[in-house]
Amino acid sequence: MEWSGYAGKVLEVDLTSGSITINELDRDMAEQFVGGKGFGASILYDRLPAGCDPLSPENMIVLATGPLTGTSVAASGRLELCTKGPATNLWLDCNAGGSFGPELKYAGYDVLIITGAASEPVMLVIEDDDVRLVSADEYWGQDTLETSRRLKADFGGDYRVTCIGQAGELLSPLASVQTEYRSFGRGGAGAVMGSKKLKAIVVNGSGGLRAADSAKLDMMIREAANELANSPDTGSARPEFGTNVLLSLMEYTGIHPNKNFQQSTLEGEPVTELEVSRYFDRSRACFACPIRCSKIARVKEGRFKGAFTEGPEYETVWAFGGHCANKDIPTIIEAEHVCDAYGLDAVSVGNVIGFLMDCWERGFITAEDTAGLEFTWGNVEAMIEAVHLMGKREGPGMDWSMGVRYLEGIIPGAAGLGGHVKGLELPAYDPRASKAMALAYATSDRGGCHLRSWPISEEVMVQNPLGQHTLEFKPEVVKGQQDFYSLINSSGLCLFAAFVLTMEQIAPLMEYATGLPGLDSADKLIAAGERINTLVRLFNLREGLTADQDTIPDRFRTDPLPDGPCKGETVDVAQLVSAYYCLREWDSEGRPTEELLNKLGLAERSAASQQ
């Protein structure tokens, strides 16, 4: 079959045997599951042994592009990494930009499947049809920055690199995978790579992609580019401030949490996007992206002079900022730099440190538990040293790098003090100040996450906002966004572009790029998003997920916000979850009904999995 949009091939590498196979992409999978997250869901649901240890050879890594990845469509550089996650023991997918995804397609592959585990450190080198495993002994133990630098020096600057640092090698569930200065950050994918002794993947491709209808695709590309350029978000604010564009709005609405979710304000003026932007050296763009929201920040004086990072992102500014009662931006830049180097998820690491500071202030831990570090609120020296200990998994850093849920279980008195859902630490939005976000957290397929649905946009940012504290229409918004986001994370398009473009623009892009009848309308594409989410739900149920886990920490129900614009607010998410189940056509235990499975074409698959 001659493919358009897609490269048309699936590359599979078994690290145990060293075998390398190349197969044709399945057309039915493409029309039903689109690409990216959808391909990961389809492959992992069918092939991953139920109940397998995420760090065992039985676990798999699926790196999957979308049909728009590597095309001329604006912001089309995205790549998905799907696996079973060590932080939650459930489904995990991470989406990253950069240039690795397009390069993989130019080498000829839509999907890379990695199975088994090597006995010694290896890396995978892909040069079109020349695919080989080589020793990575000389790179093992190196951080991600040095590994990437050396691999580009050894192979060439045009080669794209994905790799892990020491945290992944040492199997921390907070370990990320770094790809061209971008991150597959959340949930511990770096530890899965480490368990397979896979240090890096290097790819260089010489091919190209064809479009089903180049003339019409070009027309839609121009329309989409104009839309992005004229948007106040993607055409102005985000290019200037990056993801930190949210800082002032989240402070103003009382959604921005501080001190381990204990309060919504700090003494004095809050950190703003303007203050963070003063550290920006320049902007940086992912493949084919006109938004250029990525920033290179550098500290030019003071205690962390010379520190730099691609960022800091909004979530990091919160995690090492307000969450730890810290307003020192150079410390935040240094913390993100150190996290990237070790290959650690900055959101979870900052979350752990804020949690430890809360434990310290309450007397649950002392210097005897912390290698002498004093975790008073805002102690930046302790913060940076803690990141190093977690990256190297040394001393108390061994326990800290297991995450908040684990620490709640071993620190006397700390149970219930953490902010996590299903084992994944929460991002930078207090669920008491955004009722819809509480539901989004509770029902996220990979645990506490803002990237399955971000309903704050409909609560405070649209012309007729729903409001933060009502319950009406929140399940509808969350379900709709979850299905839409899953589609976008399967397409190869960046979510930031999708925030601006409409389905009337996205659907023609998919149709003219691929020519596949299954992807030629907005209705079919949204149905694909629902199909993907439902299959992931079946995956998680098979892995032991129960309805009891579709919730948020009790303290958000019992402890009112003590200050700020949302003072006195709590949230009982159970009512929202119940309405959400009905809307999703799930039963009271959170299981998709037979009628829904039949409608989405998943009934036979579900039945086969249970045999």
Side-chain angles (χ1 to χ4, degrees):
M1 175 180 174
E2 188 174 46
W3 288 90
S4 298
Y6 298 94
K9 293 180 183 175
V10 176
L11 173 63
E12 181 161 344
V13 178
D14 184 337
L15 295 174
T16 301
S17 66
S19 68
I20 295 169
T21 56
I22 299 173
N23 295 305
E24 292 295 314
L25 181 67
D26 182 79
R27 173 168 175 158
D28 183 62
M29 183 171 77
E31 298 212 51
Q32 295 293 309
F33 293 95
V34 185
K37 179 174 182 176
F39 283 178
S42 180
I43 294 166
L44 290 176
Y45 185 76
D46 286 347
R47 295 184 51 182
L48 197 71
C52 81
D53 182 341
L55 301 183
S56 71
E58 285 72 34
N59 198 6
M60 302 165 62
I61 296 172
V62 177
L63 283 161
T65 64
L68 298 183
T69 304
T71 67
S72 298
V73 175
S76 60
R78 308 301 289 192
L79 174 69
E80 277 273 316
L81 188 158
C82 304
T83 188
K84 183 176 178 182
T88 63
N89 267 318
L90 297 170
W91 166 267
L92 174 63
D93 75 278
C94 305
N95 187 281
S99 298
F100 190 94
E103 200 71 28
L104 185 64
K105 281 184 79 171
Y106 299 154
Y109 310 105
D110 298 292
V111 185
L112 168 61
I113 302 173
I114 298 165
T115 64
S119 57
E120 301 293 336
V122 295
M123 61 181 178
L124 176 64
V125 180
I126 304 170
E127 296 170 307
D128 296 333
D129 292 335
D130 182 8
V131 181
R132 59 194 186 277
L133 289 167
V134 300
S135 172
D137 277 344
E138 63 179 301
Y139 304 99
W140 198 256
Q142 301 282 339
D143 69 36
T144 65
L145 303 178
E146 180 65 9
T147 299
S148 184
R149 187 193 66 77
R150 287 186 57 189
L151 287 173
K152 284 182 174 290
D154 292 346
F155 286 89
D158 291 339
Y159 283 68
R160 305 301 177 186
V161 175
T162 290
C163 66
I164 59 172
Q166 298 96 323
E169 296 172 10
L170 297 169
L171 309 182
S172 166
L174 308 188
S176 63
V177 177
Q178 297 297 116
T179 175
E180 301 285 313
Y181 288 97
R182 309 305 293 171
S183 302
F184 296 108
R186 316 257 18 230
V192 180
M193 268 185 73
S195 72
K196 296 181 178 302
K197 289 214 164 22
L198 180 61
K199 178 66 177 179
I201 307 169
V202 182
V203 63
N204 183 249
S206 63
L209 298 169
R210 65 187 299 276
D213 190 328
S214 295
K216 289 182 177 177
L217 181 62
D218 286 346
M219 179 184 69
M220 290 308 303
I221 288 173
R222 288 195 295 274
E223 179 176 326
N226 285 337
E227 199 76 29
L228 295 174
N230 290 325
S231 161
D233 177 16
T234 53
S236 179
R238 206 172 291 267
E240 183 171 359
F241 298 113
T243 52
N244 290 293
V245 68
L246 292 174
L247 273 168
S248 292
L249 177 62
M250 294 302 102
E251 285 285 348
Y252 176 76
T253 53
I255 296 174
H256 195 264
N258 292 292
K259 287 189 172 181
N260 190 33
F261 295 90
Q262 298 298 340
Q263 57 194 59
S264 63
T265 61
L266 294 176
E267 289 185 7
E269 295 298 314
V271 173
T272 68
E273 53 268 40
L274 185 60
E275 289 176 79
V276 177
S277 72
R278 293 191 177 112
Y279 291 85
F280 294 164
D281 251 6
R282 60 185 173 89
S283 298
R284 186 180 171 104
C286 295
F287 176 88
C289 186
I291 305 172
R292 299 175 67 83
C293 71
S294 184
K295 308 297 173 189
I296 305 297
R298 193 176 299 276
V299 180
K300 297 179 179 176
E301 58 186 14
R303 141 179 61 187
F304 296 117
K305 181 180 179 180
F308 68 96
T309 188
E310 182 165 333
E313 304 289 352
Y314 166 78
E315 303 292 338
T316 311
V317 171
W318 163 77
F320 292 107
H323 186 67
C324 299
N326 167 46
K327 295 183 180 180
D328 186 60
I329 297 171
T331 303
I332 296 169
I333 293 172
E334 172 68 0
E336 182 166 309
H337 169 80
V338 176
C339 281
D340 287 348
Y342 284 114
L344 282 167
D345 173 33
V347 177
S348 285
V349 170
N351 214 304
V352 166
I353 293 172
F355 169 82
L356 290 171
M357 287 179 170
D358 205 354
C359 288
W360 177 279
E361 297 283 355
R362 293 169 187 265
F364 296 160
I365 56 175
T366 68
E368 291 183 0
D369 307 305
T370 63
L373 299 178
E374 296 188 2
F375 278 111
T376 52
W377 288 120
N379 185 338
V380 297
E381 285 82 8
M383 181 187 302
I384 298 301
E385 182 58 26
V387 179
H388 283 290
L389 291 175
M390 292 165 75
K392 292 182 285 190
R393 305 204 78 182
E394 287 183 356
M398 175 62 82
D399 284 338
W400 301 344
S401 62
M402 292 296 290
V404 164
R405 180 167 66 175
Y406 177 83
L407 293 171
E408 279 187 317
I410 64 169
I411 297 176
L417 196 60
H420 69 86
V421 169
K422 302 181 179 78
L424 187 67
E425 290 78 14
L426 294 178
Y429 314 95
D430 195 309
R432 291 165 293 192
S434 167
K435 302 296 189 287
M437 203 67 230
L439 178 62
Y441 286 157
T443 59
S444 162
D445 55 20
R446 69 173 185 179
C449 175
H450 63 293
L451 295 173
R452 316 289 97 164
S453 167
W454 197 70
I456 292 169
S457 58
E458 304 302 311
E459 289 185 321
V460 301
M461 297 177 69
V462 295
Q463 190 169 11
N464 296 302
L466 293 175
Q468 297 164 245
H469 307 306
T470 63
L471 301 185
E472 289 79 9
F473 302 115
K474 302 301 174 67
E476 286 85 351
V477 169
V478 170
K479 177 191 179 295
Q481 287 191 344
Q482 287 174 343
D483 292 345
F484 178 63
Y485 285 21
S486 276
L487 165 68
I488 296 304
N489 286 337
S490 302
S491 72
L493 196 63
C494 176
L495 268 178
F496 292 159
F499 288 166
V500 172
L501 303 179
T502 66
M503 281 306 298
E504 284 68 32
Q505 293 162 322
I506 294 169
L509 289 171
M510 300 283 279
E511 178 186 1
Y512 301 144
T514 69
L516 291 180
L519 307 180
D520 67 355
S521 75
D523 288 345
K524 291 176 184 176
L525 292 169
I526 291 298
E530 183 176 19
R531 184 178 300 112
I532 293 162
N533 279 331
T534 304
L535 190 60
V536 170
R537 181 70 178 185
L538 293 175
F539 177 97
N540 275 339
L541 291 169
R542 192 175 66 187
E543 295 302 320
L545 178 73
T546 67
D548 292 341
Q549 294 172 272
D550 288 335
T551 188
I552 59 176
D554 273 351
R555 68 184 174 105
F556 297 122
R557 177 176 58 83
T558 59
D559 300 349
L561 268 169
D563 59 356
C566 299
K567 182 178 180 179
E569 288 292 330
T570 59
V571 58
D572 185 352
V573 79
Q575 181 181 344
L576 287 167
V577 170
S578 179
Y580 170 91
Y581 279 4
C582 289
L583 197 64
R584 275 238 173 260
E585 299 178 60
W586 296 354
D587 66 18
S588 60
E589 297 300 317
R591 297 174 299 217
T593 61
E594 188 175 338
E595 291 78 12
L596 176 65
L597 296 178
N598 282 321
K599 182 177 75 176
L600 297 174
L602 296 173
E604 291 185 10
R605 213 163 189 165
S606 173
S609 172
Q610 294 170 13
Q611 290 175 354

